[in-house]
Amino acid sequence: MNKKYLPLTATILIFVLSYALCAAQYPNILSTRVIGNLLTDNAFLGVAAVGMTFVILSGGIDLSVGSVIAFTGVFLAVVLEHTSMHPLAAFALVLAITTLFGVLMGMIIHYLEMPAFIVTLAGMFLARGMAFVLSIDSIPIKHPFYGTLKGFYYKLPGGGRITLIGGLMLLVFAVGILIAHRTRFGTNVYALGGGTATAKLMGVPVASTTIKIYALSGLLAGLSGIVFSLYTSAGYSLAAVGVELDAITAVVIGGTLLTGGSGFVAGTLVGIFIQGLIQTYITFDGSLSSWWTKILIGALLFAFILLQKGIIHLSRDARQHA
Amino acid sequence: MTSIVRIYLARLLPQLIALAAILIAISMTFPGFLNLEIQNGRLYGSLIDILNRGAPVVLLAIGMTVVIATKGIDLSVGAVMAICGAIAASSITSGHSLFETILITIAVGILCGIWNGILVAVLDIQPIIATLVLMVAGRGIAQLVTEGAILTFNDAGLIFIGSGSFAGLPMPVVVWLVFGVLVALLVRQSALGMLIEAIGINRQASTLSGVLTPVLLIAAYMLSGLCAAIAGIIAAADIRGADANNAGLWLELDAILAVVVGGTSLLGGRFSIAASVLGAIIIQAINTGILLSGFPPEFNLIIKAAIIVFILVLQSPRFRTAFAFLAVPRRAAKTTEQEAK
């Protein structure tokens, strides 16, 4: 088997194994209700994680995601409360803002040659600050259109529901996979992750690719914010703290190399499912406390980093002996 | 001696000017800001308050400076603070003496640093990711120690560290002053600082030229863990309890910001502990200033973001080369002048 599929295979294996273990203990975990909820509860994280996958594939990082989600939620809540704007128009407006925000960060990263880490850290402060300025209270969203959107769902046999936001996440993943593997932009992202200098020599438009990557991450963070506001029906400037870390964790558990250049968008989906499964198991068990989620996810993150290190080490050895 | 002082001052000049500007700006909107008074043998005033409130970030920034100088970064310090606060609180409530408690807490902090250091130095994992593991799991571990509750304690000795005073200064200020001077002397009076800078500039070359890279890297993360432990003790002593959820939350970012404001490049190499401490105090002065001047605290983060971007733009290599053309003609003119002579 090709070595590049090894981390992804390991991720899928771990997911299937742990699902089987959970199901052996609590057979109800197999019900479509649980699966539907798994999709709905993690929809906003999944959407943001697709953007994060592209950023990490290119060798960068985006710490502003959680703050952008909070900003989007507060922005929508304020706009819908104080103006008569239709939610769809508000969605378009906020997506334009967050995309522009991503473009700006991408431009600073590329043209000023600054580390993505610190630029997006500044972006994190800025987006959270903007959310605070808009409102420091939690504002409920009562627009009837939100109720309509919540009414859309596909009923699975067994009583489970694929809600609009759950379905949207799957759609975003599908589009993400297509972009990553079937477009010129996707190829350029992988090339950039392999090394900026090499990519430049290969004729990859480094500037526009970098800017597009952060624009995409901003757009998806905005979309994730919309999903989050549909999920909670409220906007709160302190919401979604640390979501960027969960997204990065999902990407790493999904088998994407943090140094860039290698990995799959599909792996991230499995990474999201594994995190969701841990949470679901802890809820089912009832006696385990919520802090075990963090510890388990930390341990899993560590295991995957080690796994990836091992694979790189092995393939380097193989190349030397060839 | 005077020349050394002059070199130091020249290095710290931008930070000192920035701090002075901020202090003047605050005192204009809030009269009485610069007043100091002595009550019960202790200094009181807004200035002392800034030094006192800034203690955790100052301490974290000291460790972070050394880690960043090795071209690393330590994202776990906030979580380590939470763990150490929890350990300190649970140790003191379970009947250990103050001395034992401090010893245990510091040992735990150093252990966290060793863990990060091994991941970076031995397993060769990128520092951002290596320390992310403890950042994700750390708060869970802290909650495990406190069993999810805010663990309160009533030990006079431990509380003294948070709110007592020594020689007229609040205890936290004394702690970071002494610790900062010790670390600065340690790295600058020996070749340690230079070796750390060598690793930051080129790890491979340093290893090849005989620097004990892995040992020094692990030591840098150990120092960062130690700083986080002391900051954790101070934070817990200040509120007389350990809060696993909120202790040190996002302080890692403030510490990184303090180092950057202090002019230490995130790309490793050159570093100054005094400048980072000044950076941390500048950040605290901004926080306090925004509060005092009656400005909405919501603007706090936006102002912080604006400051980081401004400083980063000034630091960026591209910006420097863009403005190098201003310097080049002058230098060229000088050489032609010399040639003419």
Side-chain angles (χ1 to χ4, degrees):
Chain A
M1 189 176 63
N2 194 329
K3 279 207 182 62
K4 75 174 186 180
Y5 293 114
L6 212 63
L8 183 62
T9 323
T11 310
I12 294 173
L13 262 176
I14 286 182
F15 176 65
V16 172
L17 261 177
S18 44
Y19 210 107
L21 278 174
C22 292
Q25 205 175 346
Y26 303 106
N28 279 340
I29 248 171
L30 280 171
S31 76
T32 52
R33 246 174 232 267
V34 173
I35 294 167
N37 286 348
L38 202 64
L39 287 176
T40 309
D41 294 341
N42 295 293
F44 74 97
L45 182 58
V47 172
V50 174
M52 188 66 84
T53 314
F54 280 93
V55 175
I56 291 181
L57 276 176
S58 77
I61 202 147
D62 188 349
L63 295 179
S64 69
V65 172
S67 300
V68 171
I69 292 174
F71 167 76
T72 308
V74 176
F75 182 87
L76 287 175
V78 169
V79 164
L80 293 181
E81 193 178 66
H82 294 292
T83 68
S84 56
M85 196 187 271
H86 190 270
L88 281 178
F91 290 168
L93 182 61
V94 80
L95 285 180
I97 294 174
T98 60
T99 310
L100 209 68
F101 184 68
V103 167
L104 202 68
M105 289 197 298
M107 284 173 77
I108 295 178
I109 291 167
H110 178 76
Y111 289 113
L112 294 176
E113 289 174 4
M114 289 206 258
F117 173 78
I118 201 78
V119 175
T120 55
L121 178 64
M124 172 187 184
F125 281 142
L126 190 67
R128 187 71 68 182
M130 292 304 291
F132 280 140
V133 169
L134 283 175
S135 168
I136 48 170
D137 302 314
S138 175
I139 309 171
I141 302 178
K142 297 185 196 109
H143 200 283
F145 186 67
Y146 264 60
T148 320
L149 286 180
K150 280 192 165 180
F152 287 132
Y153 56 83
Y154 176 76
K155 201 152 189 170
L156 293 166
R161 289 169 179 183
I162 294 191
T163 52
L164 181 74
I165 56 174
L168 184 66
M169 174 182 77
L170 292 178
L171 184 72
V172 169
F173 266 102
V175 174
I177 291 169
L178 279 181
I179 293 177
H181 303 294
R182 287 284 175 270
T183 64
R184 173 62 59 86
F185 170 68
T187 318
N188 288 344
V189 171
Y190 277 94
L192 214 57
T196 317
T198 332
K200 206 180 255 172
L201 289 174
M202 280 162 56
V204 171
V206 176
S208 73
T209 309
T210 308
I211 294 169
K212 275 185 205 159
I213 289 167
Y214 287 92
L216 181 67
S217 180
L219 172 73
L220 287 176
L223 189 61
S224 166
I226 294 173
V227 168
F228 193 67
S229 88
L230 279 167
Y231 180 57
T232 58
S233 292
Y236 185 34
S237 47
L238 278 173
V241 167
V243 166
E244 56 280 338
L245 292 177
D246 294 338
I248 294 170
T249 312
V251 173
V252 177
I253 295 179
T256 297
L257 214 58
L258 270 156
T259 39
S262 162
F264 300 93
V265 179
T268 304
L269 182 62
V270 187
I272 295 279
F273 282 155
I274 290 182
Q275 288 196 44
L277 184 67
I278 294 176
Q279 232 132 28
T280 311
Y281 178 81
I282 284 169
T283 320
F284 262 75
D285 184 272
S287 70
L288 286 172
S289 306
S290 63
W291 52 77
W292 282 107
T293 319
K294 292 177 193 166
I295 298 177
L296 275 176
I297 290 174
L300 216 56
L301 183 65
F302 177 59
F304 270 88
I305 293 169
L306 280 191
L307 177 77
Q308 293 183 352
K309 275 283 150 196
I311 291 167
I312 295 172
H313 197 72
L314 283 178
S315 55
R316 204 177 289 149
D317 278 357
R319 215 176 299 153
Q320 271 167 3
H321 291 299
Chain B
M1 190 61 206
T2 45
S3 66
I4 293 175
V5 172
R6 207 179 301 150
I7 291 169
Y8 260 104
L9 279 182
R11 167 70 180 81
L12 298 179
L13 200 60
Q15 281 78 30
L16 288 171
I17 291 174
L19 184 60
I22 289 163
L23 294 182
I24 290 169
I26 303 170
S27 58
M28 284 203 291
T29 52
F30 185 80
F33 171 70
L34 297 173
N35 291 355
L36 286 177
E37 49 182 308
I38 298 176
Q39 277 174 7
N40 307 327
R42 197 199 126 170
L43 277 166
Y44 279 92
S46 299
L47 285 177
I48 298 295
D49 203 45
I50 289 175
L51 297 181
N52 195 12
R53 293 262 155 251
V57 178
V58 169
L59 282 164
L60 295 183
I62 292 171
M64 191 69 82
T65 308
V66 176
V67 169
I68 287 180
T70 67
K71 209 174 183 172
I73 203 145
D74 190 347
L75 293 184
S76 71
V77 287
V80 174
M81 252 182 89
I83 297 176
C84 290
I87 294 278
S90 75
S91 158
I92 205 92
T93 47
S94 64
H96 289 282
S97 72
L98 180 65
F99 181 70
E100 284 168 348
T101 298
I102 290 176
L103 223 57
I104 294 169
T105 311
I106 283 177
V108 170
I110 290 178
L111 209 66
C112 292
I114 293 177
W115 161 265
N116 284 330
I118 287 178
L119 293 196
V120 172
V122 181
L123 297 177
D124 209 17
I125 296 168
Q126 276 171 285
I128 293 186
I129 308 314
T131 53
L132 182 67
V133 174
L134 200 52
M135 186 189 188
V136 171
R139 254 167 230 291
I141 296 171
Q143 281 173 325
L144 193 66
V145 175
T146 63
E147 289 169 343
I150 294 183
L151 205 58
T152 53
F153 51 83
N154 229 334
D155 182 84
L158 195 52
I159 291 169
F160 181 77
I161 297 177
S163 48
S165 67
F166 181 79
L169 285 171
M171 246 343 248
V173 181
V174 177
V175 171
W176 71 250
L177 261 177
V178 171
F179 187 77
V181 168
L182 281 181
V183 174
L185 283 179
L186 178 74
V187 294
R188 286 308 177 197
Q189 292 303 306
S190 67
L192 214 54
M194 194 194 69
L195 295 179
I196 288 167
E197 285 173 332
I199 294 175
I201 293 163
N202 192 333
R203 185 167 153 189
Q204 214 168 2
S206 322
T207 313
L208 288 175
S209 53
V211 178
L212 279 175
T213 319
V215 176
L216 281 178
L217 273 177
I218 294 176
Y221 286 91
M222 276 165 69
L223 177 69
S224 181
L226 170 65
C227 291
I230 301 175
I233 294 176
I234 288 179
D238 189 32
I239 63 164
R240 303 178 181 202
D243 182 352
N245 279 317
N246 298 315
L249 193 63
W250 304 124
L251 279 197
E252 55 277 342
L253 300 180
D254 270 4
I256 295 167
L257 183 55
V259 175
V260 173
V261 171
T264 296
S265 163
L266 276 168
L267 303 172
R270 203 178 61 123
F271 75 96
S272 160
I273 288 181
S276 296
V277 170
L278 269 176
I281 290 170
I282 289 174
I283 292 171
Q284 187 58 44
I286 295 170
N287 289 345
T288 308
I290 293 171
L291 274 177
L292 283 180
S293 54
F295 217 45
E298 295 92 277
F299 285 93
N300 212 332
L301 281 176
I302 294 186
I303 293 170
K304 260 190 202 171
I307 293 172
I308 320 179
V309 171
F310 180 69
I311 291 168
L312 282 171
V313 168
L314 288 183
Q315 272 190 6
S316 83
R318 191 60 82 86
F319 182 84
R320 283 197 192 149
T321 37
F323 281 82
F325 73 92
L326 288 176
V328 169
R330 222 186 308 158
R331 207 177 300 147
K334 214 177 263 173
T335 37
T336 40
E337 245 172 74
Q338 278 168 349
E339 275 165 5
K341 276 176 192 167

